Amino acid sequence: MKKIILAAVVVFFTVSCSSKEESPTKDSIAIDYEQMAKEYDEFKKANQNDAPKVDPAVRGKALVEGSDCLSCHNVDTKVIGPSYHEVAAKYTEADIDQLAQKIIDGGKGIWGEIPMTPHPGVNKEDAKQMVKYILALNK
């Protein structure tokens, strides 16, 4: 049952983030995080009684894959920003709040001069789940 719910969440995020328009370029990627969060909350309420507790790292992975993060980051190799393994090697669970805020606010200087795009539509709890997924990669 857990696998079915997890698969449904992943499919839900994939469908909600897909579009029938032309494939966007890196410069024109626009993610409606508020709409994505609203749809997820509606899904969660509709399946509240059946939904098992989801491992934060699993939910974080779904959130990362449903966002524009992978246009600048990769699990194993540096793209525009550092790889997730590099981030996980540098930070600990004590840094979750700080890193979650960095996802929301963006920033630059830690990994070079190219700024990280802010994601103001991502709520703090979802950003924490994303960070937990990234940090779990080095365990």
Side-chain angles (χ1 to χ4, degrees), residues 1-48:
M1 184 66 183
K2 288 182 181 180
K3 289 182 180 179
I4 292 171
I5 298 297
L6 179 58
V9 170
V10 171
V11 168
F12 173 77
F13 278 113
T14 303
V15 170
S16 69
C17 292
S18 65
S19 174
K20 293 184 179 182
E21 298 176 11
E22 290 183 32
S23 209
T25 64
K26 282 187 179 181
D27 295 334
S28 68
I29 293 176
I31 305 292
D32 187 351
Y33 292 104
E34 290 178 25
Q35 180 63 28
M36 189 167 58
K38 180 181 173 190
E39 289 172 1
Y40 176 75
D41 288 339
E42 289 171 4
F43 172 80
K44 196 165 57 171
K45 285 177 188 173
N47 296 290
Q48 188 171 359

Side-chain angles (χ1 to χ4, degrees), residues 84-122:
Y84 291 143
H85 282 293
E86 290 175 302
V87 173
K90 183 172 184 159
Y91 296 99
T92 67
E93 290 187 12
D95 301 308
I96 289 174
D97 284 332
Q98 171 196 356
L99 293 173
Q101 197 61 49
K102 185 166 275 285
I103 289 171
I104 296 166
D105 296 339
K108 75 173 194 172
I110 304 287
W111 297 95
E113 290 303 310
I114 298 175
M116 184 170 109
T117 307
H119 299 87
V122 175

